[in-house]
Amino acid sequence: MRLRCPLCGERDIREFSYTGAAVLAHRPAPDSGEAAWDDYVHLRENPAGETRDLWYHVSGCGAWLVVTRDTVSHAVHTVELAAQ
Amino acid sequence: MRYSALRILKEGLTGNRGWKPVWRDPAPKSEYDIVIIGGGGHGLSTAYYLAKEHGLTNVAVLEKGYIGGGNVGRNTTIVRANYFLPGNSEFYSHSLKLWEGLETDLNYNVMHSQRGLINLFHSDGQRDAFARRGNAMINRGDDAVLLDREGVRKHLPYLDFDNVRFPIYGGLLHPRGGTARHDAVAWGYARGADGRGVDLVQNCEVTGIDVNGGKVQGVRTSRGVIRAKKVGIVVAGRSGQVAAMAGMRLPIESHILQAFVTEGLKPVIDHVVSFGMGHFYISQSDKGGLVFGGDLDFYASYAARGNLPMKEHVMEAAMTLMPVIGKAKVLRSWGGIMDMTPDGSPIIDRTGIDGLYIDCGWCYGGFKAVPGSGFAFAHLIAQDGPHASAAKFRLDRFRTGRGLMDEEGTGAQHNLH
Ligand SMILES: Cc1cc2nc3c(=O)[nH]c(=O)nc-3n(C[C@H](O)[C@H](O)[C@H](O)COP(=O)(O)OP(=O)(O)OC[C@H]3O[C@@H](n4cnc5c(N)ncnc54)[C@H](O)[C@@H]3O)c2cc1C
Ligand SMILES: [Zn+2]
C-alpha cells in the first residue's frame, strides 16, 4: 500500500505510522463525561469497507493525515492534511 | 474406535468410498433455545460444552461459510499458558488443563503436542522480566524454567547466539506449551457437538439480530428467520459488524495477522521458539513445514491477506535469529482478521440486551483459548453469570478503567497492541 501525502507525494506505507480511526482527531472536552470519553478512546465503527483513519507521516514531513480508504480492497481514496 | 490403521488400509484399497460424514448438515429449524453465531473454534466449543456440561442441546451454531473456514483454520496453532496478569493467567491456565484432557474427552486426535515453548531474552532487564513472569506462572500452578544461555543452546543449538543487536542471554521454557492440529480441533468439537444433538448450520449468514423491549428475540439469516431465547455472538474478526446488528459498538478494531509455511523439511525445530524482540515465532509442523509468523500489519483491515513490508520484516527477523532458515523455501503465506481490543485481552460477557451474550477480542491469541473460551461462554449463557476462570473478561472494563489487562504494559489504546 502507498499513501499520497499532500506535502511529499506518493510514499511507501513504511514511512507512515497508523494511529486509528479519525475520530481521534476530535477529542471531547475534559468534562464531557464517561460515555463520551469511552466513545473517543475505545468504541469503534470498525467498518468492512470505507473507513477514515489518522496516519502520521513519521519518516517524512511529520504531518498528520486523514486517509479515506477501503478496509477490504486496500484501495486508498483520499489523503488529506488533518489540520484542514 | 472409528479410525484404525486397518480401516485406512481397507479404504485405501477400495477407493475411499466407505467414509461417512462425521456430522450432519441440517437445515435450520425456526426456533431454538440457544443460537450461537459463528462456527469457528470458539463457537463450536461453546456448543459442545453447552451440551456436555449443561445438558442444553436445543442449540444451533450458525456459520456463514463452512465449519473451520475462519481463523481456527488459519492460525499457527500455538497453545500455551504463560500469561502474567490476573484475569488472563487463570483463564489460560484453565484452558491448558482442558487441552490436556481434550483428546480423551472428544475421542479425537487433535495432535496436541506439548513440545515446550521457549521465549528468548536479550538483556539483563528482559531476564528480570521473564524471571518474574516465570514466577507468576509457577504461582498459578503452571510450569516455567528459566534457562541461561547454555541452557538455551542445549535445546536450540541452531540459533545465532552472538547477533550484535540481539545476543541471546537465555530463555523462559514453558514445558507444557506446544502446538495442536488446528483443523482437527474444529472437527473434533464439531463432531462432539453434533453427536449431542446440536445443529451445525453452514452457509447460514446472520444478517440481523431482533431485539424487542430490551430482550433478544432471535436472528435473521440468509436461510430465514430463526427465533431464539438466547443468542451468543462469537465471530472473531467480524465481531464489530455482528454486534452492530444489535445496535452495539465494541471496543474492537479488526486487523490482519499474517503467517508463513515452508516446504516440508526433516525435523530441525523441536520446540516452539519465540523471538519477541524481532516479533517472530516459529515451530515445525508434523508434516515438516516450518510454520512462522510475526506481528500485525498494523492498520485496520478486513482483507485476510497481508502486505509485503510485514513479510520482509518477518523474513529479516528469521534470518537474524536462525540463519539456517535461509535455505528453506516459503510455500505459502496468508492472513486472518483479528479482533483487537485496546488492552489486547478478550471479552466474555453479557451485553446490555437480555439474552444476548458476546465472546470476542481474542486478538492474535485465540486458538489456545478455544477450550477455555467455549467452557466459560457456555457457562455464561447457561447460568447467565460468569465462570470463575473468565470473570475478569468484562466488556465494561474500558469504560470504567477498572480491571484492564494490558500484558504488554503499553497502555489500553487501539494502535498499541
Ligand atoms: C495468522 C494467524 C496466526 C495465529 N496464531 C495463533 C497461535 O499461534 N495461537 C493462538 O492461540 N492463536 C492464534 N491466532 C488467533 C486465533 O486463530 C483466533 O483468535 C481464533 O481462531 C478466533 O476464534 P475462532 O476460532 O472462533 O474464529 P473463526 O474461526 O474466525 O470463527 C468465526 C466464525 O464466525 C463466522 N461468521 C462471521 N460473521 C458471521 C455472520 N454474520 N453469520 C454467521 N457466521 C459468521 C466466520 O465465518 C467464522 O467461521 C492466529 C490467527 C491468525 C490469523
Ligand atoms: Zn509528508
Side-chain angles (χ1 to χ4, degrees), chain A residues 58-78:
Chain A
V58 58
S59 306
C61 61
W64 284 94
L65 306 169
V66 175
V67 177
T68 307
R69 61 184 183 94
D70 192 303
T71 56
V72 178
S73 67
H74 286 175
V76 178
H77 303 313
T78 60

Side-chain angles (χ1 to χ4, degrees), chain B residues 44-298:
Chain B
L44 295 168
S45 61
T46 301
Y48 175 77
Y49 292 117
L50 277 171
K52 178 174 177 247
E53 300 292 326
H54 307 278
L56 298 168
T57 55
N58 187 16
V59 175
V61 176
L62 309 182
E63 165 54 49
K64 75 171 176 183
Y66 60 93
I67 294 298
N71 286 337
V72 71
R74 287 170 174 264
N75 63 77
T76 46
T77 79
I78 294 163
V79 173
R80 58 188 167 91
N82 60 350
Y83 282 71
F84 179 70
L85 295 177
N88 283 328
S89 156
E90 65 259 32
F91 174 81
Y92 288 105
S93 181
H94 180 242
S95 194
L96 185 56
K97 291 191 187 90
L98 292 174
W99 274 105
E100 286 168 336
L102 192 59
E103 297 183 336
T104 316
D105 190 18
L106 296 175
N107 184 25
Y108 203 88
N109 181 7
V110 301
M111 294 165 74
H112 182 214
S113 156
Q114 295 183 292
R115 55 186 66 184
L117 162 77
I118 299 179
N119 279 87
L120 299 169
F121 52 80
H122 315 271
S123 68
D124 291 332
Q126 255 198 312
R127 178 193 290 115
D128 290 348
F130 274 112
R132 184 165 175 237
R133 177 178 295 263
N135 288 336
M137 290 159 66
I138 291 166
N139 275 340
R140 179 61 66 193
D142 293 314
D143 60 342
V145 183
L146 197 67
L147 301 174
D148 62 10
R149 186 176 155 94
E150 291 316 306
V152 172
R153 203 190 293 276
K154 276 202 203 96
H155 290 284
L156 316 172
Y158 49 83
L159 298 184
D160 179 359
F161 281 76
D162 300 306
N163 180 276
V164 191
R165 180 65 184 84
F166 297 115
I168 291 169
Y169 276 43
L172 185 66
L173 169 66
H174 172 33
R176 285 162 66 227
T179 59
R181 169 85 199 277
H182 49 11
D183 299 319
V185 174
W187 299 335
Y189 274 117
R191 188 182 78 175
D194 174 89
R196 285 176 163 79
V198 172
D199 280 0
L200 306 179
V201 186
Q202 305 180 68
N203 296 312
C204 182
E205 177 168 2
V206 172
T207 53
I209 298 177
D210 289 327
V211 179
N212 195 350
K215 190 168 175 359
V216 79
Q217 310 292 317
V219 294
R220 274 165 283 149
T221 79
S222 55
R223 299 180 72 173
V225 173
I226 302 173
R227 292 180 55 80
K229 297 186 188 72
K230 294 179 175 180
V231 174
I233 302 175
V234 51
V235 291
R238 297 282 169 181
S239 297
Q241 292 170 306
V242 176
M245 295 172 191
M248 293 165 61
R249 291 171 80 208
L250 296 177
I252 285 192
E253 199 172 78
S254 293
H255 283 251
I256 339 166
L257 182 71
Q258 305 195 54
F260 308 83
V261 65
T262 70
E263 60 192 328
L265 302 169
K266 287 186 178 169
V268 47
I269 297 177
D270 300 328
H271 310 73
V272 179
V273 183
S274 170
F275 172 36
M277 293 313 289
H279 301 292
F280 173 81
Y281 63 98
I282 188 164
S283 68
Q284 187 165 19
S285 80
D286 291 332
K287 277 193 289 186
L290 305 182
V291 180
F292 57 96
D295 214 335
L296 298 174
D297 275 27
F298 264 115

Side-chain angles (χ1 to χ4, degrees), chain A residues 13-26:
Chain A
I13 193 81
R14 277 171 284 198
E15 289 192 4
F16 302 87
S17 154
Y18 169 82
T19 307
V23 294
L24 286 167
H26 307 284

Side-chain angles (χ1 to χ4, degrees), chain B residues 385-405:
Chain B
H387 186 259
S389 66
K392 296 200 170 73
F393 291 166
R394 294 172 63 118
L395 179 56
D396 68 2
R397 68 178 184 269
F398 302 100
R399 181 171 53 76
T400 63
R402 277 191 293 277
L404 292 168
M405 283 163 283

